[in-house]
Amino acid sequence: MRLPVILNCLEEGTKNAIAIGAACACVGFIVGATTLTGIGLKFAAAVINIAHGIAEILNPIFMGLTTVSDITLFFTLINTALACFVLGMGIPQRPSISSPP
């Protein structure tokens, strides 16, 4: 490899790193604000409470084949998956996969 090719690779790598670094900085701000305000714990408690409410409603349908805690665990998983799906919609493709084109 010659020097111009090496310099071109360094330039492209720097451009891609800036985009990824900016996305990581934004995520850092969001995580910091979530941690400092305590909204993360409130959100987790809300997800569990909603799942427990759904489990209380659906428990008679299963006629004692399973417990309320098992149903709560399942719907906590479903609610968390939906929340991750919705929260992940705002992230552009390149920073979310962290690989250059």
Side-chain angles (χ1 to χ4, degrees), residues 74-85:
F74 176 73
F75 280 103
T76 301
L77 173 71
I78 297 299
N79 290 342
T80 304
L82 289 173
C84 289
F85 181 72

Side-chain angles (χ1 to χ4, degrees):
M1 286 207 310
R2 295 188 172 194
L3 186 61
V5 174
I6 293 172
L7 291 177
N8 188 24
C9 291
L10 289 173
E11 179 183 356
E12 291 296 320
T14 304
K15 287 179 183 177
N16 291 329
I18 289 172
I20 293 170
C24 290
C26 291
V27 170
F29 290 141
I30 293 169
V31 169
T34 303
T35 303
L36 289 176
T37 59
I39 198 163
L41 294 175
K42 292 177 185 175
F43 181 73
V47 166
I48 293 170
N49 287 335
I50 291 170
H52 187 70
I54 294 171
E56 289 287 333
I57 293 169
L58 293 180
N59 190 32
I61 295 173
F62 291 112
M63 295 179 281
L65 295 175
T66 185
T67 62
V68 174
S69 63
D70 291 339
I71 301 170
T72 302
L73 183 64
F74 176 73
F75 280 103
T76 301
L77 173 71
I78 297 299
N79 290 342
T80 304
L82 289 173
C84 289
F85 181 72
V86 170
L87 293 174
M89 286 183 186
I91 300 175
Q93 181 183 5
R94 181 175 286 175
S96 68
I97 59 175
S98 297
S99 64

